[in-house]
Amino acid sequence: MNKDIEKILIEEKELQSKVAELGAKITADYKGKDLLIVCVLKGAVVFTSDLIREINLPLDIDFMAISSYGANTKSSGVVRILKDLNMGIEDRHVLIVEDIIDSGLTLAYMVENLRFRRPASVEICTILDKKERRTVELDIKYTGFIVPDEFVVGYGLDYAEKYRNLPYIAVLKEEIYQV
Ligand code: IMP
Ligand code: MG
């Protein structure tokens, strides 16, 4: 175990079987549809790369990077697109893949933004949901795990850009967050 880790919340094996389960559901739901996976950079990169290998359908992937404004303005739901999609999404079935949904503001903004481009559908798949923190209503089609209101890292999620490469979901030691 990494020396900075306090405890593991979700083991690698649990993640793998959940991702396989989600991939099977998506495969069933999107059969015969023009599926475009939109990976939200950077946190969802690890989940996306595992998930697409569990989806047994032709699909495209594209990437979007988004940043929320500072803590104060975050509650307004104003987010900035740092990198937009390369592909057009009109008439396509878009599935947004995210690492964690917290307040829900980032995803609410993204869904609204993508709907303007007239896709056939827009749905959300997240590996983690910090449900008790939600401030906006958000319809999430696929959820991996509901997690408590603790800051977690690993499986793509970072603290100050580190720990994304841990193969499990974990909570860091108190002293790490303090420095
Ligand atoms: P929201 O807009 O409040 O839903 O924020 C979602 C974003 O906040 C995610 O895409 C993550 O980048 C980040 N985030 C929220 N909670 C955590 C956490 O526990 N660990 C790492 N990143 C987090
Ligand atoms: Mg992040």
Side-chain angles (χ1 to χ4, degrees):
M1 196 161 79
N2 184 292
K3 64 174 175 29
D4 298 345
I5 296 302
E6 172 72 36
K7 63 175 182 213
I8 294 179
L9 280 187
I10 307 169
E11 297 281 358
E12 187 171 2
K13 277 212 163 69
E14 295 176 74
L15 286 165
Q16 284 169 352
S17 60
K18 184 63 78 176
V19 172
E21 193 188 298
L22 292 172
K25 277 190 196 150
I26 292 165
T27 302
D29 292 349
Y30 286 89
K31 196 166 194 288
K33 291 179 176 168
D34 181 14
L35 174 60
L36 173 64
I37 300 286
V38 171
C39 171
V40 186
L41 294 172
K42 305 172 196 172
V45 162
V46 176
F47 175 38
T48 302
S49 67
D50 283 346
L51 183 67
I52 58 173
R53 285 174 288 176
E54 299 289 345
I55 302 174
N56 188 19
L57 294 173
L59 57 82
D60 287 6
I61 64 171
D62 205 346
F63 299 88
M64 203 160 168
I66 266 170
S67 94
S68 340
Y69 285 107
N72 294 336
T73 48
K74 208 182 166 190
S75 57
S76 67
V78 179
V79 298
R80 197 156 52 102
I81 296 177
L82 300 178
K83 186 224 167 286
D84 206 343
L85 299 174
N86 290 342
M87 296 172 178
I89 64 170
E90 196 171 339
D91 296 330
R92 309 194 68 186
H93 290 275
V94 174
L95 182 60
I96 301 171
V97 178
E98 179 61 305
D99 53 356
I100 188 164
I101 300 175
D102 187 25
S103 70
L105 289 166
T106 309
L107 262 283
Y109 172 85
M110 239 186 110
V111 167
E112 189 184 283
N113 183 289
L114 294 183
R115 286 222 168 102
F116 271 113
R117 310 180 196 190
R118 309 210 161 277
S121 66
V122 183
E123 300 290 354
I124 299 167
C125 176
T126 187
I127 187 66
L128 302 178
D129 184 1
K130 243 186 227 180
K131 216 179 171 128
E132 61 189 272
R133 299 254 310 161
R134 198 67 32 80
T135 62
V136 289
E137 209 180 299
L138 202 61
D139 194 10
I140 305 171
K141 191 163 187 188
Y142 308 97
T143 303
F145 301 90
I146 292 173
V147 288
D149 183 12
E150 279 185 283
F151 196 85
V152 295
V153 297
Y155 202 63
L157 290 103
D158 71 304
Y159 172 64
E161 294 298 326
K162 296 292 189 290
Y163 310 104
R164 295 189 195 276
N165 56 325
L166 298 178
Y168 44 76
I169 301 283
V171 177
L172 295 174
K173 288 177 183 159
E174 194 78 47
E175 70 227 45
I176 306 293
Y177 296 119
Q178 278 158 4
V179 288

